[in-house]
Amino acid sequence: MFSRKREPKHVRAADAPPSKALADSLVADGEAPAPETGPWDVKHAPDGVQRLDLGSLQIPAVEGVEVRVQANPDGGVEQIVLVDGDSALQLGVFAAPRTEGIWDEVRAEIAEAMAADGVSPLEIDGRYGIELKARVNTPDGPADVRFVGVDGPRWMVRALYQGAAASDPAREGILGEVLGGLVVVRDDEPRPVREPLPLRLPKEMAEQGQQAE
């Protein structure tokens, strides 16, 4: 649903207030203060936190959360899913303009794709702004999903909750803590808007995979 191509219509400041991370990056003097909550841009990431380094995305290590990473033979990460009990959280991070958020536009396209499949998504207010919630058909039967987007300076994090945390945001639990503790490392390379930022397996995990093969 996310990869559908269409002409970009980047969201302007007048369309919706920017996220905290993005607003802080636009401070007039160019030196943004540290935000109070994450996901964090790497320049504001708190010290002293153990994290799984996947390149453009660093995931805080939280006891009880299982991290499932799907990678290609070259070690490039193609999917990240965090699991806690009967809830799951799939993560993605994408390139965005420096001064514009893209979550509003992306959310509208996800909703449009769902509607084309006969699904009626619902917009709800969440911790990071407007979220998208829906009940979709899966091979295992109907299931709840909830999309959350966070615009940052030149990046956007897209999070997809499934299971209990999707049907009831109050049940996010430690998965919500992990989302709030993410660190995005945006390189200086110019990238097309919405291009996935490069993710890679940590050296230790890559070596373990090679040994298993």
Side-chain angles (χ1 to χ4, degrees):
M1 288 182 288
F2 179 73
S3 61
R4 298 178 64 208
K5 295 182 179 180
R6 61 188 293 176
E7 289 298 317
K9 327 178 291 253
H10 305 321
V11 177
R12 306 291 173 178
D15 296 329
S19 69
K20 176 65 174 173
L22 182 55
D24 287 339
S25 74
L26 303 179
V27 174
D29 60 8
E31 190 64 32
E36 298 177 359
T37 61
W40 312 92
D41 191 78
V42 64
K43 63 186 175 184
H44 294 312
D47 296 326
V49 178
Q50 183 179 0
R51 302 182 179 95
L52 177 64
D53 186 353
L54 298 177
S56 295
L57 196 62
Q58 298 179 1
I59 302 174
V62 177
E63 185 176 357
V65 174
E66 177 186 357
V67 181
R68 300 177 182 175
V69 179
Q70 179 179 324
N72 59 37
D74 296 327
V77 173
E78 298 178 342
Q79 187 178 79
I80 304 170
V81 179
L82 313 179
V83 179
D84 172 40
D86 55 359
S87 297
L89 177 61
Q90 182 176 335
L91 298 172
V93 60
F94 306 89
R98 181 180 298 276
T99 59
E100 297 175 342
I102 61 174
W103 170 237
D104 282 20
E105 179 183 339
V106 169
R107 186 181 68 251
E109 293 186 9
I110 294 173
E112 181 182 341
M114 285 184 170
D117 291 335
V119 177
S120 299
L122 177 67
E123 290 191 343
I124 61 174
D125 290 328
R127 176 181 176 186
Y128 300 104
I130 300 176
E131 304 175 355
L132 200 62
K133 181 179 178 181
R135 192 164 182 82
V136 299
N137 293 318
T138 73
D140 298 323
D144 291 318
V145 296
R146 182 163 58 91
F147 286 91
V148 178
V150 184
D151 288 312
R154 300 178 67 226
W155 53 259
M156 182 199 75
V157 168
R158 186 196 64 186
L160 171 60
Y161 281 104
Q162 303 172 63
S167 57
D168 182 3
R171 298 180 65 183
E172 286 180 6
I174 54 179
L175 290 181
E177 294 179 21
V178 174
L179 178 57
L182 293 178
V183 174
V184 179
V185 184
R186 175 66 163 93
D187 58 22
D188 293 328
E189 183 176 338
R191 298 182 183 277
V193 173
R194 304 190 190 200
E195 178 179 288
L197 297 184
L199 299 171
R200 53 166 174 74
L201 286 175
K203 181 179 179 180
E204 299 78 5
M205 294 180 67
E207 291 176 347
Q208 291 175 2
Q210 293 173 355
Q211 293 173 0
E213 292 177 359

